[in-house]
Amino acid sequence: MKEIVLIYLDRSGGLQKFIHDCKKYNDSKQSYAVYRFIISINPSDIAELDATLGNYILHNPIKAAEIFQSVCFIAIKTLSLIEQLQTEAQISILLKPTHLPHLPSYVLSLSAFPFNYTSQRFYTSEGIVIAMGTVTKYTQGARFLCTEETCPFSEGFRYIRVHLPGATESATVRNDFVCSLCSSPLQEDMKFRVLGDKQIVEMIDAKVLNALKGYSNNKSHFRIQTFTVFLR
């Protein structure tokens, strides 16, 4: 599948964009703990190249991002694109599909039962924004070091934590992480914390418009509830 990823990036122009993004990082005088790349993907084109990889992207995007992460790391090291990069864990890949299949199972509707949305995959959702919060910061990535000075992991980039979709802030940054080698506490190196913008949006299903217009659906009781969306 790694070979398929490389073929797709080359054919779609994503490889050239990736090389351009790497050049910006390499030319920067700033040191980074996490190198973040946004890759646009067409699920249909990938499914034609490899059905298994296409299925990963649609139904297990976190696993798919790990495959892209491995390919990007090999490309950076092979082509010497970012001299400062040390470990694969420093690469953060965000896959952005150009579209999703036009099937009901890919539409997120909170007005339909049952709520079988347990898988962490892509959905399409439409609604009306009724409230927006202010833009605040969140931790996209952080570097941790072992507090035991004699431990090999007291330096370098062995412990990199990156925010994953659906995770809380405490999953990325806490004070109870321990070293897997010597079990000593880990401490964050604040100089390498990577911040991003987030905004909380309150939405409501578009079907509420029918209720406001006075349309009857022959149901004696119905309830309309808002849902919260995190924009990162």
Side-chain angles (χ1 to χ4, degrees):
M1 282 190 288
K2 293 180 181 179
E3 182 179 354
I4 298 298
V5 167
L6 189 58
I7 292 174
Y8 173 75
L9 290 177
D10 185 36
R11 292 181 180 178
S12 65
L15 185 59
Q16 289 300 320
K17 180 182 181 300
F18 174 74
I19 293 175
H20 177 72
D21 292 340
C22 288
K23 187 177 185 302
K24 291 192 296 184
Y25 277 124
N26 196 48
D27 293 343
S28 175
K29 296 181 180 180
Q30 182 179 351
S31 298
Y32 294 89
V34 177
Y35 298 88
R36 192 166 183 260
F37 299 95
I38 300 175
I39 299 179
S40 296
I41 52 175
N42 186 318
S44 300
D45 290 346
I46 293 183
E48 290 182 1
L49 290 173
D50 187 271
T52 303
L53 180 59
N55 185 64
Y56 272 146
I57 289 174
L58 290 175
H59 302 105
N60 194 349
I62 294 179
K63 174 66 176 179
E66 292 176 357
I67 300 173
F68 275 79
Q69 177 189 34
S70 180
V71 172
C72 291
F73 177 73
I74 295 172
I76 290 174
K77 285 300 184 182
T78 303
L79 303 175
S80 300
L81 298 176
I82 302 178
E83 296 179 0
Q84 308 95 315
L85 180 69
Q86 296 186 22
T87 64
E88 184 176 318
Q90 291 180 260
I91 299 177
S92 174
I93 300 295
L94 177 63
L95 299 180
K96 296 188 69 174
T98 56
H99 66 280
L100 293 178
H102 296 290
L103 299 171
S105 59
Y106 292 94
V107 178
L108 177 67
S109 176
L110 298 182
S111 64
F113 285 93
F115 296 147
N116 294 324
Y117 303 116
T118 56
S119 64
Q120 294 183 333
R121 65 175 178 87
F122 293 114
Y123 291 95
T124 297
S125 180
E126 293 183 356
I128 303 170
V129 176
I130 62 173
M132 298 176 66
T134 58
V135 177
T136 58
K137 296 293 183 181
Y138 79 101
T139 303
Q140 286 183 349
R143 174 199 189 193
F144 286 82
L145 298 173
C146 181
T147 54
E148 175 56 54
E149 295 182 357
T150 60
C151 179
F153 297 154
S154 62
E155 56 185 16
F157 293 86
R158 174 62 174 81
Y159 295 112
I160 300 294
R161 301 196 64 84
V162 179
H163 177 271
L164 292 178
T168 60
E169 189 81 4
S170 62
T172 308
V173 179
R174 296 203 304 266
N175 57 8
D176 60 348
F177 296 126
V178 296
C179 178
S180 60
L181 185 62
C182 67
S183 299
S184 299
L186 297 181
Q187 185 176 17
E188 182 186 357
D189 186 353
M190 295 297 296
K191 299 191 300 295
F192 286 90
R193 178 179 285 197
V194 181
L195 299 178
D197 294 334
K198 74 173 180 180
Q199 188 174 24
I200 299 177
V201 175
E202 201 76 10
M203 296 182 66
I204 197 166
D205 196 287
K207 293 180 181 179
V208 70
L209 292 177
N210 293 335
L212 295 176
K213 291 178 181 178
Y215 292 163
S216 174
N217 55 5
N218 296 324
K219 293 183 179 180
S220 56
H221 301 285
F222 65 92
R223 181 168 64 96
I224 298 173
Q225 182 171 326
T226 62
F227 57 97
T228 303
V229 178
F230 289 81
L231 303 179
R232 296 185 184 269

